[in-house]
Amino acid sequence: MYLYNSLSHKKELFVPNRPGEVKMYTCGPTVYHYAHIGNLRSYIMEDVLEKYLRYAGYAVKRVMNITDVGHLTSDGDTGEDKMLKGAKREHKSVMDIAQFYTDAFFDDCRKLNIKRPDVVEPATHCIGEFIRIIQRLLERGYAYEAGGNIYFDTSKLDRYYVFNDFNEEDLAVGVRESVEEDANKRNKNDFVLWFTKSKFEDQALKWDSPWGVGYPGWHIECSGISMKHLGEDLDIHCGGIDNAFPHHTNEIAQSESYLGHKWCNYWFHVHHLNTNSGKMSKSTGEFLTVSLLEEKGYDPIAYRFFCLQSHYRKNLIFSYENLDNAAAAYNKLVDKIAALDPDDPSAVDAGIMEQLKARFTKALDADLNTSLAVTALYDVLKAKTNDATKLAALADFDTVLGLNLLSAADKKRRQKPQENEEHDPYIEELLAQRAAAKKEKNWAEADRIRDELKAQGIEIIDTPQGARWKRL
Ligand code: AMP
Ligand code: ZN
């Protein structure tokens, strides 16, 4: 398989450190709010990568952190702690917020068929590991204490900006914009490994350390958690492209200074989901969640399909129109699969199966080209072979793509067109108005009609064939 490696800026043949085994690390969510569908784009694409590596025969061990401490409102280490901000917003404790949004994250993952990584570790469980790494960095002269905090000294590195060929000035502009200068730093890109209470008096979670009571910086947690579960080397590190700098750059700086050797070979970065007004982000408050899509009648798997239709290294523009197109294409695909005979007694044609598989693997071997892999599904449907072979190929490919193809088709086959309870021109008129409102994306009006009917004891049921109703 060829994968684009952000470290070398080119596509490289993927060769893990140990034959047949892959150690994979993923930056997990900061659990101060719901994940937005942009975050989930990254996790969907990483999920396909993991599943494809398993499909290709590798034993994968994948680790993910849960950021429940240390991520400040600016990636440059200033501002409030995001967790504390979430707790204040909702008048809850930081731990309650962390638990609630961790559960919500995995609920979303389940709906999107994103497999739970083998190890999921909250940062607050690994404080001892972080302290040990920081101690060694201090001993080796890679870190210093200033104003009560421990900083990583980026001037000690021969090469700090590993992911890009930008000069220092270009990069620093982006960082400086939102960051007030921290007078304790010896170099502008130095970052905090450990904060003490001297700087953040209101931090909710604090731990004792050789440098005083405090809490870890954000970057150290991914190095610490990765090493705790995967040891001193790593095959693939994943994350959204916004994490490349400073987060991943800092992870590499501290991990390799601590270990004294190269740490991770391949860096897999998923590009952003954008709206027409820019990157979808939690901090601007303008974000869409899986639950919101469901409320609007979308199957979360249609969103997964939407993501798979484009390459992970291209920005993807979200609009309801684009999602509608993907949902319609997904529905049509499932319809075609539902038209196959699940009881076809023919034997699977091994020769055809090989040919179909070859197209599928060729697509994914080429830097995880998921849109071509989706095209391979249509090739299956068009192939000159029996239904048993087609269904076997679709089931096989879906272990990677995770589109529920066979179960959704089964459901369609079983679904007899439901009749409404009775003919009622008043209700049918309202349903027609609601369908028109939905078509115009007038969600407020569609919701108002749903509520109006509900107040009269009538429930609307959205089905792929249109809205039905029943008396409650
Ligand atoms: P966070 O919860 O903010 O730590 O982010 C979780 C993951 O989502 C990280 O890998 C981010 O790089 C990624 N991410 C954030 N915003 C977007 C976006 N708009 N599109 C795709 N991935 C994103
Ligand atoms: Zn990370």
Side-chain angles (χ1 to χ4, degrees):
M1 177 185 202
Y2 279 80
L3 270 183
Y4 181 85
N5 185 355
S6 308
L7 210 51
S8 61
H9 316 285
K10 54 178 194 269
K11 288 182 205 166
E12 286 178 38
L13 183 65
F14 174 67
V15 185
N17 280 325
R18 292 161 198 77
E21 280 176 40
V22 176
K23 295 195 209 176
M24 189 171 176
Y25 184 84
T26 294
C27 289
T30 310
V31 284
Y32 72 112
H33 217 317
Y34 292 106
H36 58 63
I37 58 172
N39 301 129
L40 291 161
R41 178 194 187 196
S42 287
Y43 295 115
I44 288 170
M45 303 316 282
E46 293 166 7
D47 180 64
V48 176
L49 174 62
E50 177 190 346
K51 286 176 177 161
Y52 186 58
L53 290 167
R54 290 184 194 277
Y55 180 90
Y58 291 108
V60 180
K61 181 170 179 189
R62 181 161 172 215
V63 176
M64 178 193 270
N65 67 306
I66 297 289
T67 300
D68 53 359
V69 68
H71 194 175
L72 304 188
T73 46
S74 147
D75 288 351
D77 286 342
T78 58
E80 211 176 350
D81 182 297
K82 289 191 179 185
M83 293 303 300
L84 197 60
K85 194 175 163 189
K88 280 186 189 159
R89 183 186 67 230
E90 298 184 20
H91 308 291
K92 288 188 184 149
S93 75
V94 165
M95 285 328 280
D96 284 347
I97 288 282
Q99 192 57 55
F100 179 82
Y101 287 114
T102 303
D103 292 346
F105 173 72
F106 286 112
D107 272 352
D108 288 344
C109 288
R110 193 179 36 76
K111 289 175 188 166
L112 291 164
N113 263 346
I114 298 170
K115 178 186 165 296
R116 191 184 167 97
D118 305 287
V119 178
V120 174
E121 181 85 278
T124 49
H125 291 191
C126 303
I127 303 300
E129 266 84 14
F130 309 150
I131 290 177
R132 244 193 324 277
I133 296 173
I134 299 168
Q135 264 172 324
R136 188 163 348 155
L137 289 172
L138 278 164
E139 281 158 26
R140 294 190 164 186
Y142 286 106
Y144 59 91
E145 191 166 354
N149 295 332
I150 309 296
Y151 293 85
F152 186 90
D153 186 349
T154 53
S155 72
K156 292 286 180 338
L157 304 177
D158 295 337
R159 189 161 171 251
Y160 170 65
Y161 297 117
V162 286
F163 287 121
N164 31 51
D165 306 319
F166 296 123
N167 66 44
E168 211 165 289
E169 281 306 304
D170 285 347
L171 259 174
V173 172
V175 179
R176 251 194 240 125
E177 267 171 9
S178 57
V179 177
E180 325 128 30
E181 228 40 79
D182 178 345
N184 293 324
K185 291 187 184 181
R186 290 186 191 160
N187 312 288
K188 67 177 176 301
N189 287 310
D190 290 357
F191 54 92
V192 181
L193 297 163
W194 187 266
F195 291 100
T196 73
K197 63 178 180 182
S198 57
K199 191 166 179 197
F200 294 99
E201 298 292 353
D202 61 349
Q203 181 66 20
L205 297 175
K206 288 180 243 182
W207 294 264
D208 204 7
S209 83
W211 320 288
V213 175
Y215 64 101
W218 171 39
H219 314 298
I220 194 71
E221 61 180 75
C222 287
S223 297
I225 291 171
S226 170
M227 287 182 210
K228 176 177 174 187
H229 294 287
L230 296 169
E232 293 198 352
D233 64 88
L234 194 53
D235 294 301
I236 308 181
H237 194 309
C238 313
I241 189 71
D242 58 319
N243 279 344
F245 184 84
H247 183 49
H248 292 163
T249 305
N250 292 347
E251 279 187 42
I252 294 173
Q254 67 205 2
S255 298
E256 298 195 347
S257 304
Y258 167 81
L259 292 168
H261 58 74
K262 186 164 179 179
W263 176 47
C264 176
N265 290 333
Y266 299 86
W267 288 81
F268 177 88
H269 286 124
V270 180
H271 286 239
H272 283 145
L273 181 79
N274 293 328
T275 58
N276 283 328
S277 49
K279 181 197 152 195
M280 194 172 287
S281 97
K282 282 188 218 178
S283 49
T284 59
E286 266 190 355
F287 63 88
L288 295 168
T289 58
V290 170
S291 316
L292 197 76
L293 293 186
E294 283 184 302
E295 277 167 33
K296 294 191 189 308
Y298 292 102
D299 175 354
I301 296 299
Y303 177 66
R304 184 174 171 111
F305 187 75
F306 170 68
C307 290
L308 298 195
Q309 282 179 315
S310 84
H311 194 251
Y312 75 91
R313 279 195 302 115
K314 287 201 178 111
N315 286 341
L316 178 59
I317 303 280
F318 178 83
S319 69
Y320 282 108
E321 198 179 345
N322 293 347
L323 183 60
D324 282 342
N325 290 338
Y330 175 69
N331 251 321
K332 260 196 199 156
L333 177 64
V334 171
D335 278 342
K336 284 187 181 147
I337 299 169
L340 300 175
D341 176 7
D343 303 317
D344 180 5
S346 326
V348 171
D349 183 330
I352 300 273
M353 187 74 171
E354 275 315 299
Q355 285 171 21
L356 294 170
K357 268 192 173 193
R359 265 181 243 175
F360 180 71
T361 54
K362 189 175 170 204
L364 294 173
D365 282 343
D367 193 22
L368 208 73
N369 191 332
T370 48
S371 67
L372 261 185
V374 167
T375 308
L377 299 174
Y378 296 96
D379 292 340
V380 171
L381 289 165
K382 280 185 278 178
K384 290 195 175 23
T385 184
N386 57 50
D387 285 2
T389 306
K390 292 183 184 181
L391 285 165
L394 292 166
D396 185 58
F397 301 174
D398 210 29
T399 59
V400 177
L401 302 180
L403 294 168
N404 291 350
L405 294 174
L406 269 57
S407 58
D410 270 348
K411 206 165 143 197
K412 275 219 169 150
R413 278 190 208 104
R414 282 197 307 270
Q415 222 168 38
K416 291 197 196 84
Q418 283 171 6
E419 287 308 321
N420 296 327
E421 278 188 6
E422 63 204 74
H423 182 58
D424 185 319
Y426 164 74
I427 296 172
E428 275 145 32
E429 170 57 24
L430 280 179
L431 286 187
Q433 284 177 19
R434 181 168 170 272
K438 279 178 78 171
K439 206 164 173 196
E440 286 162 13
K441 320 260 180 277
N442 187 347
W443 306 114
E445 175 64 4
D447 289 347
R448 190 196 64 70
I449 294 172
R450 178 191 282 281
D451 293 344
E452 183 179 327
L453 283 170
K454 198 165 184 189
Q456 298 171 45
I458 288 154
E459 189 191 358
I460 299 181
I461 305 143
D462 284 311
T463 76
Q465 287 80 31
R468 312 264 158 199
W469 61 274
K470 67 172 189 199
R471 289 189 198 281
L472 291 169

